Amino acid sequence: RLPLPQKPTLVPLTIREKASPAYTREARELRVEGEVLLEVLFASNGRVQVLRLVRGLGHGLDESAVRAAEKIRFSPAQREGQAVDISAIVHIVFQLS
């Protein structure tokens, strides 16, 4: 019998640092809370690229979420020892203290 083919081993990416999103004055005055969902590409070269807004909150928070996502620092995912691009949905939470 032939051995079963091995699945390529995937080492997931590791988030090293996240930036806190900034509240806009308008959103703070309107007491808007919730989360912005972004589809993000975590590239093999260590860069973050926001691909699209999945769900937004408006009032300037969507743009603030994009800026925060672009500041994420991470170690790229690896497949068989090589860094690879991975896309994922990132949740940026806005909560007034």
Side-chain angles (χ1 to χ4, degrees), residues 21-96:
Y23 251 95
T24 60
R25 195 168 78 213
E26 177 186 356
R28 191 177 297 283
E29 288 169 359
L30 293 171
R31 305 205 49 79
V32 176
E33 291 189 321
E35 60 182 11
V36 173
L37 303 185
L38 302 169
E39 185 177 1
V40 172
L41 178 72
F42 293 99
S44 59
N45 64 5
R47 294 189 187 275
V48 175
Q49 181 186 353
V50 177
L51 300 174
R52 69 186 177 98
L53 176 68
V54 177
R55 188 177 75 214
L57 292 170
H59 308 291
L61 297 181
D62 303 347
E63 295 80 1
S64 179
V66 168
R67 285 191 296 275
E70 288 172 341
K71 292 178 184 162
I72 293 172
R73 298 288 166 249
F74 68 98
S75 299
Q78 294 193 345
R79 182 175 284 117
E80 296 175 354
Q82 298 294 311
V84 293
D85 295 350
I86 295 282
S87 65
I89 302 296
V90 172
H91 300 241
I92 307 284
V93 178
F94 289 89
Q95 195 168 10
L96 292 164

